[in-house]
Amino acid sequence: MLSRTADHLFWMSRYIERAENTARMLDVNYQTSLLPQSAAVAQVGWQGLLSISELLPAYTARHGEVVPRRVMEFMVKDEDNPSSIISCLKAARENARAVRGTLTTEVWETQNQTWLEVNRMLLQGEFERDPAQFFEWVKFRSHLSRGVTVGTMLMDEALYFMRLGTFLERADNTARLVDVKFHAVQSDFFGAATERDQEYDFYHWSAILRSVSGFEIYRKVYRDVIKPERVVDLLILRSDMPRSLHASLNEVVSNLAMVGNEQSSETLRRAGKLRADLQYGHMDEILATGLHAFLTQFLDRVNELGMRISRDFLIPTAA
């Protein structure tokens, strides 16, 4: 496969996954903002969202004070923000158009229709009327894109590069999502808590579980009240949780192995080592290191993997 074609397929999938995960992060903050909390806690939550997305400097340069409505508009409909939902869906569509001949008709039409529909929805003010419903729509279109891809594409290198992009982006964004939650709430989750704190935490952790489609999974796996350390365990170490770091790295390693070449052995080794750290890791060790420190290191390693994949297979890009 030509590296240029692989590059477009890889980034098409990354951008559609990034749009979905941006919607999920915004949905966490939007849902928790509806719960009883102080203005200071709410402010930290929105700042944390921008910080972990590395967009706080860009936002403050344009809008100054962190205001929830402006943050959501910046992250949803600002075309000058390359990580906004509208920018990601546009980039996904443009990458798909560049390799139209490699995609099935169904995959192309799904990408193109998503782009046309999101423009109509934003023009008609549907996002402002019901942000939660808009975020659900973005997630649904991402689900549809993945389903059509797996259901219609030939199982060859094109599909493997698309899957590689999807799960590398998912690993990055799940780590950011968990980190956002810890930035947003200042109390010590793992220490003693008052009854009011426990009630407060329950609703916030329920929101983050629902944002990753994990609420029912948590109930099925743990059959207990929602405890922060178990939520973190589910989203980091459980290989049977579809959006966990462990599950994402399993997919990265398997798809990377399918497209491997003579110069990618070191990239595969590093991906395998990162996967092994999750496979044989333990929650007590992670908490002893510090969850934020662990996630920061994980994000650095995933970013390095992305750069190595770009160097080994793709055309270097600034995206």
Side-chain angles (χ1 to χ4, degrees):
M1 173 178 286
L2 293 175
S3 62
R4 182 179 296 276
T5 301
D7 182 79
H8 285 301
L9 294 169
F10 177 81
W11 282 104
M12 179 192 77
S13 296
R14 285 203 73 161
Y15 279 121
I16 195 74
E17 182 73 18
R18 188 175 297 178
E20 177 187 350
N21 282 285
T22 298
R24 288 179 181 275
M25 285 196 289
L26 286 167
D27 197 34
V28 169
N29 271 49
Y30 177 69
Q31 297 293 347
T32 54
S33 72
L34 302 178
L35 299 173
Q37 59 184 327
S38 68
V41 169
Q43 184 81 352
V44 169
W46 291 105
Q47 287 179 341
L49 174 63
L50 291 167
S51 295
I52 204 65
S53 304
E54 300 177 0
L55 292 170
L56 187 56
Y59 172 88
T60 53
R62 174 169 299 184
H63 299 290
E65 183 183 357
V66 174
V67 178
R69 180 182 58 80
R70 290 178 182 172
V71 173
M72 287 211 293
E73 289 182 352
F74 179 70
M75 296 290 285
V76 169
K77 54 196 294 187
D78 190 339
E79 295 190 43
D80 292 328
N81 171 14
S83 293
S84 69
I85 289 174
I86 188 69
S87 294
C88 288
L89 294 180
K90 179 180 180 180
R93 190 255 188 188
E94 289 304 305
N95 277 283
R97 188 169 63 86
V99 288
R100 173 68 185 84
T102 305
L103 304 174
T104 61
T105 299
E106 291 89 341
V107 172
W108 160 248
E109 288 182 349
T110 298
Q111 296 289 347
N112 192 48
Q113 184 62 34
T114 298
W115 169 242
L116 296 174
E117 187 71 5
V118 74
N119 278 281
R120 181 195 65 77
M121 293 174 73
L122 292 178
L123 189 63
Q124 295 180 358
E126 293 189 24
F127 163 62
E128 288 81 2
R129 278 196 295 273
D130 192 345
Q133 186 60 40
F134 177 80
F135 297 143
E136 284 299 317
W137 178 85
V138 174
K139 288 188 280 184
F140 172 78
R141 296 303 298 188
S142 180
H143 297 326
L144 183 62
S145 176
R146 281 192 303 274
V148 168
T149 298
V150 173
T152 66
M153 291 286 292
L154 184 67
M155 295 182 187
D156 63 359
E157 286 188 334
L159 178 63
Y160 302 143
F161 276 113
M162 292 166 72
R163 300 282 286 174
L164 187 56
T166 293
F167 288 101
L168 194 68
E169 186 68 27
R170 181 176 296 182
D172 178 277
N173 282 277
T174 296
R176 293 178 188 273
L177 184 65
V178 176
D179 212 16
V180 162
K181 180 60 186 177
F182 276 81
H183 273 78
V185 182
Q186 299 297 303
S187 62
D188 178 9
F189 291 114
F190 305 105
T194 66
E195 184 177 342
R196 183 178 178 182
D197 286 339
Q198 290 172 349
E199 182 180 355
Y200 175 82
D201 290 349
F202 170 82
Y203 288 113
H204 280 75
W205 286 107
S206 296
I208 193 173
L209 282 171
R210 292 184 190 282
S211 77
V212 293
S213 307
F215 186 79
E216 292 84 1
I217 292 174
Y218 182 96
R219 292 299 197 194
K220 184 175 182 179
V221 170
Y222 298 105
R223 300 180 183 275
D224 198 358
V225 296
I226 297 176
K227 296 181 179 179
E229 61 270 27
R230 288 182 174 174
V231 175
V232 175
D233 179 65
L234 183 72
L235 297 184
I236 293 179
L237 299 179
R238 294 282 305 202
S239 62
D240 51 358
M241 166 60 184
R243 305 197 72 83
S244 74
L245 304 188
H246 189 175
S248 297
L249 261 294
N250 282 343
E251 292 286 347
V252 168
V253 170
S254 61
N255 284 282
L256 192 55
M258 297 298 289
V259 298
N261 57 32
E262 64 278 359
Q263 63 186 23
S264 65
S265 58
E266 177 60 18
T267 302
L268 181 59
R269 186 192 73 81
R270 295 190 183 210
K273 187 174 187 300
L274 182 54
R275 192 260 303 267
D277 288 345
L278 296 168
Q279 183 176 354
Y280 298 106
H282 196 276
M283 187 76 325
D284 290 342
E285 297 172 350
I286 293 174
L287 296 179
T289 304
L291 184 61
H292 179 65
F294 173 84
L295 292 172
T296 299
Q297 184 184 57
F298 179 86
L299 287 167
D300 288 341
R301 293 170 74 181
V302 166
N303 186 51
E304 182 189 22
L305 268 182
M307 290 189 293
R308 295 188 68 90
I309 289 169
S310 181
R311 188 193 66 191
D312 292 344
F313 302 103
L314 315 173
I315 298 170
T317 67

